[in-house]
Every structure is written in structure tokens, then in C-alpha cells.
Amino acid sequence: MAETRLESEVEKVFEHIKNGDNFLLSGGAGSGKTYSLVQVIKEAITQNPMAKIACMTYTNAAVKEIEERVNHKNLRVSTIHDFLWDNIKQFQKELKKSLLILINDKEYKIKNPNEESGEEYINKFEYGISYKEHLNINRGEISHDEVLILANYMYKKYKVLCDILKDKYKFIFIDEYQDTSPFVVQIFLEHIQQSMRKCIVGFFGDTMQSIYEDGIGDLNDYVRLRVVQEVQKKQNRRNPQLVIELANNVRVDGLLQVPSKDNNAPNMNNGLVKQGNIKFLYSSNNDLDKLKKTKYFRGWKFDNPKQTKELNLTHNLIAPKVGFSELMNIYDKDPIIQLKNEILKKIKKEKIVIDENATFSQVVSLVPAKNRQGKLKIDLIVEDLDNKQLYEQLKDIPFSKVRKIYLDKDSLIDDKKDDKGAENKNGSKRDDLIKHLFKIQLLVKLYEDKAYSEFIRKTEFKIDSITKKKEIKAIIQEINSMSDCTIEEVIKFADKKGICKKDDKFNKFIEKNEYIYNRVKRVKFKEFQKLYYYLEGYTPFSTQHKIKGAEFDNVLVILDGGGWSNYNFEYLLNDFISSTLDKNKQKSYPKILLRTQKIFYVCCTRAKENLVVFYHNPSQLIISKAKEWFGEENVCEC
């Protein structure tokens, strides 16, 4: 079998390795960065058969993909968090000492249980420090964020750790570097340089796809100082010509892509790059259902989420389209919990002392929150009858209990799949009420799909006779007919019939979160059913952040900020808007523009065949910019 020839970019990488230099392989969307990473790993093994190699990436799915492509006893593939933890966990004495220092140092932002009293935190951590999905400082249990902070501190403080790491690994490769925490980059490009041992560190990624706020984004400072040597990979194997040209208009880092010269690349056809189709559509109304029936979407299959995607900026924009707005409003826009959070911020900022027996209403009076016009927010909230009823539930409860009520949209919508065949990730943030509802609906789906073996494993219902088989069929049919019943009615029915019993986790959640349960239990079950099918990947909808790394034949991008101030699509398409902004907005303009450029770039480069971008009611300046980027013939009012 003929050996696979190394890519020219990989050959350049090994020139830098030969010189003992760290390197950065930069490649745009669809350039085949993972293929290059695999080639680098294989060639490093070939040239150094006895050397140990570490490869870190962002997700467990990516770990699995790399492991499937390269199988070697000296290769360790893991997530960044797992790799760092495995290399510091045995140093418990140093871990305990470091964690105590970091807890008491406000600069590092590790939660101090004594923060409100201002006392120094002291703990012997008798059972040691352990890495969990959750954070419990008193028990020495740290989560993802703390692992990074701790590792960064320890590699900076203890040179011996740097020696051990470099002795163990000759090569350390980091995939999707742009999403990596600055703490991680500091460890591998600054702290371990204390050690004189030899070790090559290589990064793979794309600065234009750094769309998460906690990622480093780029390595420009390190490249400028020649701490790393950059190799650019300019080919594009995914997108058709028109999408490549559009994406090049959006890029701001100087890396301009060209179609691959490989005739076997997905975007090639009979030796020529596919042209593809791009459209910028706009209208004065926002009727997307009507729009999807026009000629611009002929041949698109919105019922096939593997082939077609509609990308919105936020889950809040998607919720009304799918049909789970009420649940979304509970978890993301509860007015009473928002008020409570503002009061907590004010208490902390102004160091207000609250009597431990004070009720929520007494604290609201003591620490009045106001809007910009100086009106009391509580007055504005209780003007609405529904909001007033919510406030009545909590006003006489001790504030010490109310302050612990936690509502976050991740508790509802975390762990969304791109399609129904995708795997669930580890450590879902969904709360135990939502997880319980998922169990019920999953059982229904398994039965309907005739996945009886898995159904039997997941249900408490014992099917040991023909009668029981008939009974379970009737139960499933009954649950399916309960769409207009409340969530509470369905939970009680599933528990009574034994198909999904209320377990300790569910009961404990209800006991501690009565307010949340009282809100959710009244929602119709069909809302949760719609949520379930959305999160399990049965719909064409996805948020723009979630879609990174995926690709589809047809992509519809909705340019609607949804009120999220971190992004502004008008900034993206209006070159003159910055001059019209006030001073405060002018300060934030560059960061917001860059974020918006990157999310737009990621969205557009998902398309393998057809790309449609929709903008509601744009100005003439925006239309002119769209014509410049898309071509006049591809900008249409509809």
C-alpha cells in the first residue's frame, strides 16, 4: 500500500519541529485541519517511535474521532481538562496548598464560602482534592473552571511539574486552540518554559472561529514574539466557490481561502470547484414560514435536520418557532428571580448587612432596585397580575432561602444535539426536573421506535406477561394523548403507572425548588414535547454558536440579534454606523463588530451547497453592503 504523501503545510510544520520551534497551524473553515493534525501525529510517531505524544482537544466527540484515526500505545488523546487534571492530581499536598491560596485571592475568582463575611477560608481538605462535574469547595470538589485555574497556578509556581511534563511528553498538540482558555496557553507557552527539557508544543485552529467568550481567540502576540511559528493552510474542501468568496470578505486576519486542488474534495465536481448558490433576502415583514415556501428554497428539506439548518443567534429566538416559549421564559426571564439577582449584586457591592430572619419583601424594601428612570422595579413587576402572583409566592419566605433559588436557561436547554444521531455529552447542566421529564418522553420515543430492549432497561415497569405488554401499550398511548395536560399531571401519571417513578433526585429537587416546580408544573406537556424534539435534534433549528464544526447542504442564517447586546448585525453590514454612535457605544463597537463577524463567518461556512441569509427590514446602507458581498444579482427583496 502506497504511503500517504504529507501535505505541504505538514512538511512546513516538521521544518519548524526540526528547528525545535513550537508551531501554529492556522486553517479556515473546511480546510481539513483535523486531517492535518492526524498527519502530524502519525509523522511524529514515525520519526519518534519511542516518544510519548499528548493530543488535547475541546470535546469528547473530537477525542473519539482522533482516537479512531490514530491508534498507538504512545499517544494520549483527551480533553484539555482531563489532561491537566491527570498531570496534577497526584500532587495532593501542593493541590491543597494552592487551592487555599487561590480561594483567598480575589483575583482568581474561585468561590470563597466565607466571601460574605470576608473571613479567610481555612480547610485541611482531609479527603483530598477531586475533580467533579460540580463545585463544592468545602468537600474539596472542583469543577472544570477550577481545574484550569489550579493547573495554571501550579505550573507557574512549581518548576518540577514542568520538568515532569516535558520528561513525559516529547510532543503536545492542542486542537481548536482558539477556544482554549488563556490559562492553558500560558501553561504551555510560558510556564513550562521554566524547564530546560525539550518538548514541542503545536496548536491547530482558526481565529475566525473563536466564538466562545472564554477562549483565547488568537495567538498573535506569541506569533509576533516568535514563541510559535505560524503555518497557514489556505485550501477549502467544504464550501462552493461563492461561499468561499463571501467568507473571504468577512475574514479579518489576512488568511484568504482558495478551493482545494484535490479532485476528491467534497466541493469539487469533475475537476472543477462547485459554484454553489448564495442569496441575501430581506423584507419589511418577518414571515419566515411564508418565505420558506418561495422559489429561493426550492428543493430544501426542512424536515431533514442532517441536510438543512436554520441558524438563529439565541434559543429565545428559536423557542416560539418550535413551541416552548413558556418554559424558556420561566428559565431565562423570571422577573422575580431577576429582581432577586439584582438585589444580591447590590448587597454585595454596597456591603449591606441583611438580618438572617428577614423575609424577601423586607429585603426588597431595604435594598430597593430601580430602573434607569428611577422607578422601583418591584412596582413595575407587580403591575402585571401574573408577576404579582409570582411575587406573592416568595415575599414572606426568608430571604436566606429565596437567594438560593437558581434559574438559568442551561438548566433547561443544555446538551442540544445537532441531529438525532449525535451522542449526548458528559455533564449536562439540565436540572433534575427537566431530566425527569426527559426520561418520560424518551421512554415514549423508545417504545414508538420499537426499541424494546432499551425501553425495558430504562423503565421500572415490569413486562413479564401478555397482559403487561397490552398494559404498557395503553400507558404509552395515554401519555401521547396528554399533550394538553399539565406537566404535573403527566409526571403523576407516569409515576402511578410505574413507567417512570419519582426518584430521590426528583423528590430532592422539588423539595429544594418549590418555586421553580410550581411554575413548571402548570405548563402544558406539549411544550416539553416540543422542547424534547428540538434538543434531541429532530428539528432544523440550531443556535449559531452550537453549529461550529458541522456542515449541511442547505443553510439559512437569520440575522437577528434577539436583543443580545454582545452582537449587532447592523454593525456587520453598515461601514458608517460607528460614526453615528455615542461615546460609550463607540468604545464597545470594535469588540461587538469582531464577535459578529466571527459568528457570521462560522454560520456561512457551514453550507456545502446553498446559503441563504435573511435580514428583516434593512437600511439602504445594509442592502448596499450586501450587494458588495453577495453580488447584486443575489440580493433580493421578498
Side-chain angles (χ1 to χ4, degrees):
M1 184 175 177
E3 291 185 6
T4 303
R5 182 181 174 183
L6 293 181
E7 294 178 317
S8 60
E9 295 89 355
V10 173
E11 289 178 343
K12 290 177 183 176
V13 162
F14 276 91
E15 289 176 14
H16 292 307
I17 290 175
K18 186 178 179 181
N19 294 330
D21 294 328
N22 300 320
F23 67 88
L24 161 63
L25 182 71
S26 297
S31 63
K33 292 184 294 296
T34 303
Y35 179 81
S36 299
L37 170 61
V38 168
Q39 272 209 339
V40 169
I41 292 172
K42 287 181 176 180
E43 184 63 16
I45 291 171
T46 299
Q47 294 186 15
N48 307 269
M50 303 302 292
K52 286 196 173 183
I53 300 170
C55 177
M56 286 168 274
T57 190
Y58 206 64
T59 65
N60 287 310
V63 169
K64 184 178 178 182
E65 181 183 358
I66 294 168
E67 285 179 333
E68 288 173 350
R69 296 202 201 183
V70 190
N71 182 15
H72 194 273
K73 63 180 181 179
N74 288 338
L75 173 65
R76 161 82 196 280
V77 187
S78 66
T79 63
I80 291 168
H81 293 80
D82 286 345
F83 178 84
L84 290 174
W85 176 247
D86 283 348
N87 281 280
I88 63 174
K89 65 183 180 182
Q90 65 266 41
F91 302 102
Q92 283 291 321
K93 179 181 177 182
E94 290 79 8
L95 268 168
K96 294 174 185 178
K97 184 177 179 180
S98 298
L99 183 56
L100 276 176
I101 290 171
L102 295 174
I103 289 170
N104 290 304
D105 188 332
K106 292 181 180 179
E107 180 184 341
Y108 286 94
K109 298 179 181 177
I110 292 183
K111 184 175 176 60
N112 181 345
N114 294 339
E115 186 176 18
E116 289 180 22
S117 65
E119 296 177 10
E120 183 179 5
Y121 183 71
I122 299 172
N123 190 327
K124 293 182 179 180
F125 299 121
E126 294 179 13
Y127 298 103
I129 309 300
S130 57
Y131 174 30
K132 304 286 186 180
E133 293 291 343
H134 59 269
L135 174 67
N136 189 319
I137 290 294
N138 287 326
R139 291 204 298 258
E141 296 169 349
I142 60 173
S143 62
H144 309 302
D145 293 342
E146 292 73 39
V147 166
L148 300 186
I149 297 170
L150 255 177
N152 180 277
Y153 178 84
M154 290 176 69
Y155 275 104
K156 182 178 181 180
K157 183 174 179 61
Y158 301 107
K159 176 181 174 294
V160 65
L161 284 180
C162 305
D163 290 333
I164 292 170
L165 184 67
K166 292 177 104 174
D167 278 342
K168 188 172 184 180
Y169 295 104
K170 183 178 178 65
F171 299 97
I172 297 174
F173 301 138
I174 300 173
D175 193 21
E176 299 288 357
Y177 81 86
Q178 71 278 355
D179 298 326
T180 302
S181 164
F183 287 130
V184 175
V185 175
Q186 284 177 358
I187 290 170
F188 293 110
L189 290 183
E190 297 178 30
H191 302 338
I192 70 170
Q193 303 312 317
Q194 298 176 74
S195 170
M196 300 308 293
R197 272 74 159 178
K198 290 184 178 180
C199 172
I200 299 294
V201 182
F203 297 86
F204 299 76
D206 180 14
T207 182
M208 281 302 291
Q209 295 186 70
S210 59
I211 58 174
Y212 305 123
E213 286 299 300
D214 53 355
I216 192 166
D218 62 64
L219 299 180
N220 292 345
D221 290 340
Y222 296 101
V223 172
R224 191 162 40 248
L225 295 170
R226 304 188 70 79
V227 176
V228 292
Q229 303 292 328
E230 183 177 18
V231 175
Q232 290 190 342
K233 188 174 188 183
K234 297 183 179 181
Q235 69 164 306
N236 184 311
R237 300 172 54 84
R238 175 195 299 153
N239 304 126
Q241 180 70 45
L242 291 177
V243 173
I244 292 174
E245 292 173 1
L246 173 63
N248 283 341
N249 283 326
V250 182
R251 288 198 76 102
V252 295
D253 65 339
L255 193 161
L256 300 181
Q257 289 190 283
V258 294
S260 170
K261 295 179 181 178
D262 179 1
N263 290 335
N264 295 318
N267 59 356
M268 299 295 285
N269 187 15
N270 295 325
L272 297 173
V273 64
K274 297 176 183 178
Q275 287 301 294
N277 297 290
I278 62 172
K279 288 286 184 289
F280 182 94
L281 305 181
Y282 64 95
S283 72
S284 56
N285 64 59
N286 211 6
D287 192 344
L288 290 173
D289 288 334
K290 183 178 179 181
L291 179 68
K292 291 175 188 176
K293 296 174 183 176
T294 63
K295 62 182 180 181
Y296 303 110
F297 298 93
R298 193 172 292 134
W300 288 41
K301 295 181 179 179
F302 283 97
D303 60 348
N304 184 345
K306 284 192 172 183
Q307 185 185 90
T308 302
K309 280 294 179 188
E310 176 185 322
L311 307 182
N312 292 262
L313 186 59
T314 68
H315 292 287
N316 282 310
L317 290 168
I318 293 172
K321 298 178 182 183
V322 176
F324 58 92
S325 294
E326 194 172 350
L327 284 170
M328 196 69 197
N329 285 336
I330 290 171
Y331 276 85
D332 197 42
K333 297 179 181 178
D334 185 288
I336 312 303
I337 302 306
Q338 287 180 345
L339 174 67
K340 181 266 296 183
N341 291 339
E342 288 186 35
I343 288 172
L344 279 175
K345 288 179 183 177
K346 195 170 182 181
I347 289 172
K348 183 177 179 180
K349 183 179 179 181
E350 299 179 12
K351 298 181 179 178
I352 299 171
V353 178
I354 301 296
D355 189 297
E356 61 180 18
N357 296 316
T359 65
F360 181 41
S361 62
Q362 288 172 332
V363 174
V364 168
S365 300
L366 180 65
V367 191
K370 298 180 180 181
N371 68 5
R372 290 183 179 179
Q373 288 74 39
K375 296 179 181 178
L376 288 174
K377 289 195 174 182
I378 186 61
D379 291 340
L380 297 173
I381 288 171
V382 298
E383 283 176 4
D384 181 278
L385 181 59
D386 290 337
N387 291 345
K388 184 177 181 179
Q389 290 173 346
L390 294 177
Y391 180 62
E392 291 290 330
Q393 290 184 47
L394 294 177
K395 70 182 184 70
D396 296 325
I397 293 176
F399 184 66
S400 57
K401 288 188 177 181
V402 175
R403 71 183 302 152
K404 294 177 181 177
I405 299 175
Y406 177 76
L407 273 170
D408 182 84
K409 62 187 175 193
D410 279 349
S411 301
L412 179 74
I413 49 83
D414 188 44
D415 197 14
K416 184 193 179 307
K417 296 180 180 179
D418 291 333
D419 63 72
K420 59 186 179 182
E423 294 183 4
N424 288 97
K425 69 180 183 182
N426 293 331
S428 173
K429 296 177 183 176
R430 292 176 194 161
D431 67 33
D432 287 320
L433 169 57
I434 299 302
K435 286 179 180 177
H436 187 79
L437 289 168
F438 257 84
K439 286 181 188 176
I440 295 173
Q441 188 58 35
L442 174 60
L443 286 165
V444 172
K445 190 73 177 66
L446 289 172
Y447 188 88
E448 289 178 336
D449 291 345
K450 299 182 179 179
Y452 299 128
S453 295
E454 190 175 354
F455 174 86
I456 290 170
R457 284 199 302 272
K458 291 184 179 293
T459 183
E460 294 94 329
F461 192 91
K462 300 300 179 185
I463 305 174
D464 50 14
S465 66
I466 297 296
T467 302
K468 289 290 186 180
K469 286 183 179 180
K470 290 180 180 179
E471 190 177 339
I472 195 64
K473 182 179 180 180
I475 291 170
I476 296 297
Q477 289 174 340
E478 181 67 20
I479 292 176
N480 271 331
S481 70
M482 296 178 75
S483 293
D484 284 319
C485 296
T486 66
I487 281 174
E488 182 179 42
E489 288 171 325
V490 173
I491 289 174
K492 286 182 175 179
F493 178 81
D495 178 65
K496 180 181 177 182
K497 295 297 182 180
I499 183 175
C500 187
K501 302 287 276 183
K502 300 175 185 176
D503 60 13
D504 289 345
K505 287 185 177 180
F506 173 83
N507 291 327
K508 190 174 182 180
F509 178 87
I510 304 308
E511 181 185 337
K512 289 190 172 183
N513 300 277
E514 184 181 2
Y515 175 77
I516 299 172
Y517 183 61
N518 284 342
R519 292 212 63 190
V520 173
K521 72 180 184 181
R522 297 185 178 93
V523 178
K524 288 187 176 181
F525 186 62
K526 63 184 176 184
E527 274 234 358
F528 177 77
Q529 291 174 309
K530 297 285 182 63
L531 172 72
Y532 174 89
Y533 283 103
Y534 166 63
L535 293 179
E536 288 296 289
Y538 287 88
T539 77
F541 300 99
S542 179
T543 57
Q544 294 169 5
H545 286 80
K546 180 66 178 177
I547 214 66
K548 191 163 79 73
E551 55 185 33
F552 308 92
D553 288 346
N554 312 306
V555 175
L556 168 61
V557 184
I558 310 299
L559 299 189
D560 182 345
W564 194 357
S565 59
N566 280 357
Y567 296 85
N568 192 310
F569 292 111
E570 188 176 5
Y571 290 4
L572 175 73
L573 292 158
N574 186 340
D575 293 334
F576 304 98
I577 195 168
S578 61
S579 61
T580 67
L581 302 174
D582 61 38
K583 288 184 178 180
N584 288 331
K585 287 186 177 180
Q586 282 183 3
K587 288 180 181 178
S588 61
Y589 170 80
K591 287 185 178 180
I592 294 174
L593 173 61
L594 184 59
R595 283 194 205 104
T596 310
Q597 287 168 327
K598 288 181 175 181
I599 200 71
F600 184 65
Y601 175 85
V602 166
C603 290
C604 292
T605 53
R606 301 310 99 198
K608 296 194 292 180
E609 301 286 347
N610 305 300
L611 170 69
V612 174
V613 174
F614 176 75
Y615 198 111
H616 173 234
N617 206 22
S619 66
Q620 282 302 314
L621 285 171
I622 289 174
I623 294 170
S624 296
K625 187 67 176 180
K627 288 178 178 178
E628 178 187 329
W629 278 2
F630 287 75
E632 190 161 351
E633 70 281 7
N634 293 318
V635 178
C636 310
E637 184 175 11
C638 52

